[in-house]
Amino acid sequence: MATSTTFSLSCTPQSTLLSKPKSHTLSPSMTLLSPQGGQRNLYHPLRNNIIASPISMKPKRNHVGGLVKASMDNKNVEVFSKEHLAVSLAKYVADLSNKFIKERGCFSIALSAGSIKYLRKLVEPHYSNTILWSKWHIFWVDEKVVPKTHVDSNYKLAYDGFISKVPIPPHNVNTIDDALPADGAADVYETTLKRLVASNVIAKSFVTGFPKFDLVLLDMGHDGHVASLFPGHPTLNETKKWVTFLKNAPTPPPERITFTLPVINASSNIAMVVTGAGKADAVYSTLEEAPSDYKLPAQLVSPKEGELKWFLDKGAASKLW
């Protein structure tokens, strides 16, 4: 079913109201589908010695429980066990939620697929009973153009693991129109964002004119891609649109919509959540920033007016020291 929920009108700063849980339902016929078959990756950015040479100075580390705080040329990087990562991320998100609800009256957050499972601590009573969920407005950094009940849907992933467990009003969950092809879905989603910027549900960057999300949660692929911005793909060069599309993504499914880099970099806060030893080379290359004309998409994430914080597990950080 095609839906694109856009009923939010405006935000008014508040700090005391709590909302009662509202139920979310999906069709009882929903079943988990088998993942689509493999497809050969079209881009190979980490081949041919693109990874940077070894770091000449090891980052300073302080061990606190399951946390390793790493100081790397003023980069905000923290390394955890997976469980401590979820705990730290929950506090980080909850603190930002409280901050922006007090300041703006609402909290705009954009999700990516890989970061969603690490929001699980937010559904526990310590947070679920205290966060003003009625003030949350959820968006997707990128989405596959598949039905919302499909196993590849980022919406389904977020719904099953997070949204269905907390009382966020359904009309505050802004999904793509999955009945449209990728180009049409991208255009409609950009129109939705512009309407919500006009009503101040999403803030606006007065420097760039792009939407200024309170928080964007990113993950990174083993090839250094973020959102659906893949190495070497023309979407990386888009500077005007807020939302663009792909019909030939190097991993299935091929049709997707994605925020552009200028929108991501206009955010107030970006959390890069990366886990697994399979991504260690890309993490190493991104954080080392060795001089090169070639940059991975993750290296292009650089908020103009906000802050970028890295949440790594020990596997993803294993090449840094």
Side-chain angles (χ1 to χ4, degrees):
M1 176 171 59
T3 58
S4 180
T5 54
T6 59
F7 303 108
S8 306
L9 296 178
S10 63
C11 290
T12 303
Q14 295 183 22
S15 60
T16 58
L17 296 180
L18 290 173
S19 63
K20 295 182 179 180
K22 296 186 179 181
S23 62
H24 298 259
T25 58
L26 287 179
S27 169
S29 63
M30 176 187 297
T31 58
L32 288 177
L33 305 178
S34 299
Q36 296 187 10
Q39 177 174 325
R40 187 166 65 89
N41 197 315
L42 303 179
Y43 306 107
H44 304 282
L46 302 184
R47 291 182 178 177
N48 303 322
N49 299 319
I50 286 177
I51 292 297
S53 57
I55 299 174
S56 58
M57 182 176 293
K58 300 294 185 183
K60 297 178 180 179
R61 294 175 289 163
N62 295 316
H63 295 259
V64 183
L67 163 68
V68 179
K69 289 190 175 181
S71 174
M72 299 181 61
D73 297 327
N74 298 317
K75 296 182 180 69
N76 194 352
V77 180
E78 293 186 355
V79 182
F80 309 84
S81 67
K82 281 185 170 61
E83 185 64 18
H84 283 91
L85 189 155
V87 170
S88 182
L89 185 64
K91 184 179 186 306
Y92 170 81
V93 174
D95 288 347
L96 288 177
S97 169
N98 292 337
K99 173 182 182 292
F100 284 104
I101 289 171
K102 289 178 181 178
E103 293 177 358
R104 301 202 311 109
C106 57
F107 180 54
S108 62
I109 177 172
L111 306 178
S112 59
S115 64
I116 292 169
K117 62 184 175 182
Y118 294 107
L119 296 178
R120 62 181 182 271
K121 292 293 181 181
L122 287 176
V123 308
E124 296 180 358
H126 175 69
Y127 292 115
S128 65
N129 294 334
T130 57
I131 289 175
L132 294 175
W133 298 109
S134 65
K135 303 299 182 182
W136 275 48
H137 296 262
I138 291 185
F139 304 84
W140 274 262
V141 179
D142 68 322
E143 179 60 286
K144 290 92 170 181
V145 183
V146 295
K148 292 180 179 63
T149 55
H150 194 282
V151 67
D152 286 328
S153 167
N154 290 348
Y155 165 79
K156 175 177 168 50
L157 181 65
Y159 179 88
D160 290 349
F162 176 57
I163 296 171
S164 64
K165 303 177 188 300
V166 292
I168 299 171
H171 58 266
N172 286 4
V173 179
N174 297 274
T175 62
I176 73 165
D177 187 336
D178 57 14
L180 296 174
D183 52 348
D187 288 344
V188 170
Y189 208 58
E190 179 166 327
T191 299
T192 297
L193 298 186
K194 288 181 175 179
R195 180 161 56 247
L196 296 178
V197 166
S199 61
N200 201 37
V201 168
I202 308 169
K204 179 180 180 180
S205 168
F206 292 104
V207 174
T208 65
F210 288 105
K212 189 173 184 178
F213 288 91
D214 299 329
L215 173 61
V216 166
L217 286 176
L218 292 178
D219 62 338
M220 182 180 67
H222 70 278
D223 58 355
H225 84 263
V226 292
S228 282
L229 299 169
F230 292 91
H233 199 280
T235 51
L236 283 172
N237 301 319
E238 178 59 59
T239 60
K240 302 297 183 183
K241 291 182 179 179
W242 294 11
V243 182
T244 190
F245 67 94
L246 301 81
K247 292 192 174 182
N248 60 341
T251 57
E255 292 203 5
R256 304 170 180 224
I257 67 105
T258 183
F259 285 1
T260 59
L261 271 173
V263 168
I264 292 172
N265 284 333
S267 304
S268 292
N269 296 275
I270 300 174
M272 187 78 78
V273 183
V274 188
T275 60
K279 300 179 181 181
D281 284 338
V283 168
Y284 179 85
S285 182
T286 299
L287 290 175
E288 164 66 2
E289 291 185 335
S292 173
D293 292 335
Y294 182 94
K295 287 189 178 294
L296 300 176
Q299 291 175 289
L300 301 175
V301 175
S302 178
K304 305 305 180 187
E305 307 165 68
E307 296 182 356
L308 169 63
K309 182 172 182 177
W310 287 76
F311 291 81
L312 305 177
D313 75 349
K314 294 176 182 178
S318 59
K319 297 291 181 72
L320 295 179
W321 42 70

